[in-house]
């Protein structure tokens, strides 16, 4: 006998189960398990009486269609992160910590799109219309033809959007939206999921681009079900450190462009202004060459970006030495320390290690390995690296150096900013970069010997 065909799935993480329970074993959320109602065509041969789906029209991959027309805000940093402009019918999620500047960014974006003739509606579920208007005034954008509403009722919002048919709708924020057919409080997993689903479906159905603002949890994820990230076409994170004025808009997923693209902004008294040369900005606080400071020539998305890494190494007063990292991966730091110890015989036991990426930037590229190692050694030995030198390259567990991608672009950017030499793994392709001395090495021991005369 066939088993019961009922299946249940978790609204938060999507895990599926064959029986209902109050708590999801997958993600630990309560009250998220729901019955899945299948719509299969029925068993293949025998009981053909059941209603079947209609057959689909299949097409070829090759097509005559032009790529989707994109609308431009004129804010170059934003347009680039979107993959070259806003695609019609796309759903975009913009996540970030409270107070980081999401509403400011999106109000500016709304105003710019509207001024470029894109019909734009901005729905705020967090602020009253008067507050949004005051902000627009402060940003000098009060004359932009943006239509405004302060509302949280999803049904009313969808009805309005359906009647108005804007080209762009901004929903600030998805956590405040409330669907009256879902019985739980706004901000709950089911509400966020339902609202995102309705709004994404609306975008697909009508061709309106929808931008959803999402708050981020302490763990750095967009609050609410992870399925929301799968539902939308593009996920952008707006990040930055509270104490710094830099803000970075980063695409972590984009169905219409490269992921990992960044746009750099500066928060000023009159809103966010674009930073067209981020390397200059990230290096602006750099003083005289000092021990522990190294300039890393990185690539963010399609663009080279130079950032300063700072390390401090000091004898530890604690029985367990501290490892503190800001802007980089702490697991990766542990790995570099282990490789330095095992392959080059340079121990860090009993020493506190602090590593900081200057300017509030976050780096995830493995090519930063060599720059981190250089900063750590420079701090430990109290020796500054040669002046006007950039460093990049990946370190493998064996202590070998692996060439990084786009060596040439990194060198060009370094040269543009007045650097005269670079330390990199051998084997990287670097044609056409004259004017910068390239010092290549194949392993970490060689690097330590050459730069610090030890090893
Ligand atoms: P906001 O856009 O409200 O953040 P979010 O929507 O992500 O919660 O930004 C709030 C912060 O930005 C607030 O602390 C004040 C600051 N700010 C400026 O520095 N300059 C400005 O022109 C504006 C509008 C805000
Ligand atoms: Mg806000």
């Amino acid at each position: 006998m066939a088993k019961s065909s009922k299946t249940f799935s978790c609204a938060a993480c999507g895990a599926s189960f064959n029986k209902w329970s109050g708590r999801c074993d997958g993600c630990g959320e309560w009250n998220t398990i729901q019955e899945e109602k299948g719509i299969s065509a029925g068993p293949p041969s025998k009981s053909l009486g059941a209603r079947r789906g209609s057959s689909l029209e299949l097409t070829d991959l090759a097509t005559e269609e032009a790529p989707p027309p994109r609308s431009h805000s004129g804010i170059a940093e934003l347009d680039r992160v979107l993959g070259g402009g806003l695609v019609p019918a796309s759903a975009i999620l913009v996540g970030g910590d409270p107070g980081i500047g999401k509403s400011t960014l999106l109000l500016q974006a709304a105003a710019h799109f509207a001024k470029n003739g894109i019909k734009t509606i901005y729905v705020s579920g967090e602020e009253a219309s008067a507050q949004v208007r005051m902000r627009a005034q402060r940003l000098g954008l009060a004359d932009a033809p943006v239509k405004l509403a302060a509302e949280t009722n999803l049904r009313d919002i969808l009805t309005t959007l359906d009647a108005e048919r804007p080209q762009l709708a901004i929903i600030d924020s998805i956590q405040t939206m409330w669907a009256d057919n879902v019985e739980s409080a706004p901000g709950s997993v089911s509400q966020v999921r339902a609202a995102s689903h309705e709004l994404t479906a609306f975008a697909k159905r009508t061709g309106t681009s929808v931008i959803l603002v999402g708050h981020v949890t302490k763990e750095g994820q967009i609050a609410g079900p992870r399925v929301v990230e799968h539902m939308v076409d593009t996920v952008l994170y707006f990040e930055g450190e509270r104490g710094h004025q830099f803000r970075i808009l980063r695409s972590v997923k984009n169905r219409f462009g490269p992921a990992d693209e960044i746009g750099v902004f500066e928060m000023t008294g009159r809103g966010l202004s674009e930073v067209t040369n981020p390397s200059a900005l990230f290096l602006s606080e750099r003083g005289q060459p000092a021990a522990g400071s190294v300039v890393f020539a990185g690539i963010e998305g399609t663009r080279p970006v130079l950032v300063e890494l700072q390390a401090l190494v000091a004898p530890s007063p604690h029985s367990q030495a501290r490892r503190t990292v800001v802007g980089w991966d702490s697991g990766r730091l542990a790995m570099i320390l282990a490789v330095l110890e095992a392959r080059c015989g340079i121990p860090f036991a009993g020493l506190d290690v602090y590593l900081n990426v200057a300017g509030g930037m976050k780096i995830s590229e493995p090519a930063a390995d060599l720059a981190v190692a250089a900063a750590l050694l420079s701090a430990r030995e109290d020796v500054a690296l040669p002046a006007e030198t950039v460093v990049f390259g990946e370190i493998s567990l064996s202590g070998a150096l692996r060439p990084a991608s786009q060596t040439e672009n990194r060198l060009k950017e370094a040269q543009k900013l007045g650097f005269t030499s670079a330390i990199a793994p051998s084997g990287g392709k670097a044609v056409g970069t004259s004017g910068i001395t390239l010092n290549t090495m194949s392993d970490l021991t060689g690097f330590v010997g050459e730069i610090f005369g030890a090893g």
Side-chain angles (χ1 to χ4, degrees):
M1 197 192 100
K3 272 181 29 190
S4 150
S5 61
K6 275 189 183 173
T7 54
F8 297 84
S9 72
C10 170
C13 70
S16 54
F17 305 95
N18 51 21
K19 66 177 180 26
W20 187 88
S21 67
R23 184 164 187 262
C24 172
D25 285 339
C27 60
E29 288 282 351
W30 287 93
N31 294 329
T32 55
I33 310 261
Q34 295 162 355
E35 186 181 341
E36 230 20 280
K37 297 233 167 48
I39 45 159
S40 73
S45 54
K46 285 177 195 144
S47 54
L48 275 183
R51 191 183 145 252
R52 307 190 72 194
S54 48
S55 60
L56 306 174
E57 191 186 324
L58 302 172
T59 59
D60 295 328
L61 281 178
T63 151
E64 305 280 286
E65 273 168 61
R70 292 180 184 255
S71 330
H72 300 275
S73 63
I75 306 177
E77 295 293 302
L78 173 67
D79 290 342
R80 196 187 45 253
V81 174
L82 288 172
L86 189 67
V87 177
S90 60
I92 298 159
L93 181 63
V94 178
D97 287 323
I100 203 72
K102 300 181 295 297
S103 302
T104 309
L105 174 74
L106 290 171
L107 187 58
Q108 284 181 268
H112 279 82
F113 276 118
K115 280 185 180 172
N116 284 354
I118 313 287
K119 186 172 175 188
T120 303
I121 295 186
Y122 184 101
V123 182
S124 177
E126 301 193 338
E127 290 161 302
S129 295
Q131 272 175 294
V132 181
R133 274 196 295 270
M134 258 163 59
R135 185 190 303 237
Q137 237 154 38
R138 177 173 169 188
L139 299 172
L141 297 169
D143 58 337
V146 177
K147 290 280 169 235
L148 209 62
E151 185 53 68
T152 57
N153 184 321
L154 188 64
R155 194 181 292 273
D156 294 350
I157 292 171
L158 284 170
T159 308
T160 312
L161 292 181
D162 224 355
E164 296 283 332
R165 289 295 168 98
Q167 284 159 282
L168 171 62
I170 295 173
I171 309 293
D172 187 3
S173 66
I174 192 68
Q175 277 90 4
T176 54
M177 293 299 131
W178 165 75
D180 53 21
N181 57 340
V182 177
E183 270 180 54
S184 52
S188 65
V189 166
S190 5
Q191 284 287 2
V192 171
R193 184 191 202 218
S196 312
H197 176 77
E198 291 292 341
L199 288 161
T200 315
F202 174 80
K204 301 296 159 203
R205 192 172 73 240
T206 62
T208 297
S209 304
V210 174
I211 301 183
L212 311 175
V213 174
H215 291 295
V216 154
T217 60
K218 280 207 197 75
E219 295 79 43
Q221 271 165 349
I222 292 176
R226 248 159 293 151
V227 285
V228 173
E229 296 197 19
H230 302 305
M231 267 184 229
V232 295
D233 301 303
T234 303
V235 179
L236 309 178
Y237 272 90
F238 201 41
E239 29 179 71
E241 296 286 323
R242 277 296 163 94
H244 290 282
Q245 71 273 37
F246 318 131
R247 298 286 182 272
I248 292 165
L249 185 66
R250 184 187 295 275
S251 71
V252 292
K253 161 182 171 178
N254 194 351
R255 289 189 183 141
F256 306 112
D260 275 335
E261 193 68 81
I262 64 165
V264 185
F265 297 88
E266 192 174 357
M267 184 60 101
T268 69
R270 296 199 58 191
L272 292 153
S273 66
E274 292 179 71
V275 174
T276 42
N277 190 346
S279 301
L281 181 76
F282 289 132
L283 296 180
S284 61
E285 288 167 10
R286 202 167 56 110
Q288 292 301 309
S293 153
V294 168
V295 176
F296 165 54
I299 297 279
E300 292 289 338
T302 54
R303 192 160 59 153
V305 176
L306 304 191
V307 278
E308 184 194 358
L309 303 184
Q310 303 162 340
L312 179 69
V313 175
S316 178
H318 310 287
S319 57
Q320 184 150 23
R322 295 189 69 139
R323 309 283 183 243
T324 305
V325 194
V326 179
W328 207 50
D329 180 28
S330 56
R332 200 98 193 159
L333 173 70
M335 190 192 104
I336 304 292
L337 292 171
V339 174
L340 281 170
E341 179 150 4
R343 307 293 173 197
C344 310
I346 302 172
F348 281 84
L351 297 171
D352 284 340
V353 175
Y354 301 89
L355 182 76
N356 178 37
V357 180
M361 176 81 179
K362 284 196 184 74
I363 302 179
S364 54
E365 243 199 313
D369 291 354
L370 190 58
V372 169
L376 295 173
L377 287 167
S378 163
R380 188 182 186 278
E381 308 295 319
D382 201 18
V383 177
L385 237 66
E388 309 311 339
T389 301
V390 296
V391 183
F392 58 92
E394 192 177 338
I395 299 175
S396 71
L397 286 178
S398 66
L401 301 186
R402 292 203 203 115
S405 61
Q406 306 193 40
T407 298
E408 203 179 319
N409 283 342
R410 296 175 202 261
L411 294 177
K412 278 193 185 139
E413 177 79 358
Q415 195 185 1
K416 212 162 72 188
L417 282 135
F419 288 84
T420 52
S421 69
I423 300 173
S426 36
K429 281 194 216 90
V431 279
T433 39
S434 54
I436 188 154
T437 317
L438 186 58
N439 196 353
T440 61
M441 321 184 170
S442 60
D443 63 33
L444 196 56
T445 321
F447 168 77
V448 174
E450 186 148 342
I451 306 301
F452 298 98

